[in-house]
Amino acid sequence: EPSSCSEKHPAMADTKLIGFGNPLLDISAVVEQDVLDKWGAKLNDAILAEDKHKPMYAELAESHPVEYIAGGATQNSIRVAQWVMGKPGSTAFVGCVGKDQFGDKLEQAARGDGVNAAYMKHPETPTGTCAVLVKGGERSLVANLSAANCYEISHYETAEIQELVTAANIVYCAGFFLTVSPPTMIALGKHVAEKHKTFCLNLSAPFICQFFKDPLLSVMPYVDFLFGNESEAAEFGKAMGWGEELDVVALKAAAMPKESGSPPPPPPPMNTPVREGETIEGSRTAVRCGIDPIQTTLTLTRHLGPGALFTRARDVQTGLPGESEWRGSRLAQQRERCALHGGT
């Protein structure tokens, strides 16, 4: 039987932010184009490993200098958020690892950073790994989920995890977790909606929108903040039949039905100014556009509706790291500070 993490964090009640995702040991190397070609990997992309990729991890370690890093998209973001928040135990992370040395290293790294790592531990399946192939400042990810793919909602329902979820007021998940346990994400969403908390979701990779559209749409009604880069947003727009124009995708995503709060009114003309003293009800969509200005769609009160672009308040030029464009969203409680903080 899979088991839960044995140790309890001494300050569980201090948890403000909790992430659910796929804990992976990153195996990072700077590679040549022929390595990318050999494994069918593309820069600025992420894929799940197939049978043909299984020899890659050992070959990479033999042929290139590699660095082993405690990772996984959600866990990376939670560790950065913990660094930002400072107080140990302010964040928690939940996912599945194996009962092995790599799993122990992941747990030690997370707890060493002050994160309450509450892993489910699978007795038979090894801890997941992710090849990070770096070339020219860009990277390609090939994830072998292994134990991360074994997460079960029964672990979410344990008293330990329920205590963490109850304490937290922000939930963050990468879209990659949609490939593992949509029921857990829906349960999280229902809790967030009922308790009027905040649910943050990252699209994570184009293939999530292409091949996991149904699980994605099952979670979307609970999402307060949706994040992604330009290619992910374009793929989401294609999957939804909205086209690939980022402004349109942001507006359409913001107007999708939501379980908590009142339905958004129709969007105003794009040149509608934000009135002096206008209050913000809640952000629905953020689209990261590389080094281009962030496109942030806000749901505004007093009938402004969704679709007030970030540039109405301040146009911030920033290139945000791939897994951390969200990280200041509720911590800062200010949109300008959010964007600047995420780019550090």
Side-chain angles (χ1 to χ4, degrees):
E1 284 292 317
S3 65
S4 175
C5 177
S6 55
E7 278 188 49
K8 221 179 193 184
H9 197 285
M12 191 174 287
D14 292 332
T15 302
K16 300 293 185 284
L17 165 66
I18 188 168
F20 282 71
N22 302 330
L24 304 172
L25 186 68
D26 288 348
I27 304 174
S28 179
V30 177
V31 301
E32 305 75 31
Q33 184 62 44
D34 61 341
V35 175
L36 295 167
D37 295 340
K38 177 178 181 179
W39 302 109
K42 299 177 181 178
L43 291 174
N44 199 27
D45 195 14
I47 60 175
L48 295 177
E50 303 174 22
D51 287 342
K52 67 179 182 180
H53 295 113
K54 288 183 178 179
M56 176 178 58
Y57 303 91
E59 287 189 21
L60 195 64
E62 291 176 3
S63 61
H64 293 76
V66 299
E67 185 178 3
Y68 295 94
I69 306 165
T74 302
Q75 186 166 231
N76 284 341
S77 293
I78 294 299
R79 291 174 72 191
V80 171
Q82 176 59 49
W83 173 75
V84 171
M85 298 171 79
K87 184 178 180 181
S90 296
T91 65
F93 175 75
V94 182
C96 186
V97 298
K99 285 188 173 181
D100 53 26
Q101 184 179 7
F102 283 169
D104 291 343
K105 285 185 176 181
L106 286 177
E107 184 172 357
Q108 290 167 6
R111 288 185 177 275
D113 288 338
V115 177
N116 184 2
Y119 296 139
M120 183 182 118
K121 296 184 177 180
H122 202 280
E124 300 173 356
T125 311
T127 298
T129 53
C130 181
V132 183
L133 309 177
V134 181
K135 181 179 182 293
E138 296 184 275
R139 66 181 184 176
S140 179
L141 306 180
V142 184
N144 181 19
L145 297 184
S146 294
N149 202 38
C150 298
Y151 189 82
E152 300 171 0
I153 193 171
S154 59
H155 181 259
Y156 167 81
E157 293 168 344
T158 62
E160 177 189 2
I161 304 307
Q162 286 302 298
E163 187 176 348
L164 285 170
V165 170
T166 299
N169 51 33
I170 305 172
V171 174
Y172 176 76
C173 294
F176 296 125
F177 201 52
L178 290 166
T179 72
V180 174
S181 187
T184 299
M185 295 179 71
I186 292 172
L188 282 165
K190 288 181 178 179
H191 169 80
V192 166
E194 179 184 348
K195 302 298 183 181
H196 304 289
K197 298 180 179 182
T198 301
F199 195 117
C200 304
L201 176 67
N202 199 315
L203 291 174
S204 297
F207 80 84
I208 297 295
C209 306
Q210 293 170 327
F211 305 116
F212 294 90
K213 177 184 173 183
D214 289 344
L216 174 60
L217 293 183
S218 72
V219 173
M220 277 298 297
Y222 306 105
V223 173
D224 297 289
F225 286 80
L226 179 68
F227 298 99
N229 64 25
E230 54 268 60
S231 60
E232 295 153 8
E235 198 61 50
F236 186 46
K238 285 169 61 178
M240 297 300 294
W242 301 335
E244 301 179 47
E245 188 68 35
L246 295 183
D247 290 356
V248 173
V249 174
L251 289 167
K252 294 283 190 179
M256 293 178 75
K258 194 165 185 300
E259 285 293 322
S260 60
S262 57
M270 292 305 296
N271 60 355
T272 302
V274 174
R275 292 188 280 273
E276 183 75 22
E278 196 68 67
T279 58
I280 296 176
E281 182 181 278
S283 180
R284 296 297 304 275
T285 305
V287 180
R288 181 179 67 89
C289 302
I291 61 172
D292 295 327
I294 290 180
Q295 316 256 340
T296 301
T297 304
L298 308 175
T299 301
L300 302 179
T301 58
R302 292 167 61 184
H303 308 295
L304 278 181
L309 291 184
F310 188 87
T311 49
R312 290 183 185 173
R314 179 177 294 174
D315 186 3
V316 179
Q317 296 277 349
T318 180
L320 298 173
E323 290 146 6
S324 54
E325 60 266 16
W326 67 278
R327 65 194 184 210
S329 298
R330 283 298 196 193
L331 303 178
Q333 292 294 322
Q334 297 176 9
R335 278 21 177 217
E336 300 93 334
R337 188 176 170 194
C338 161
L340 291 170
H341 197 60
T344 58

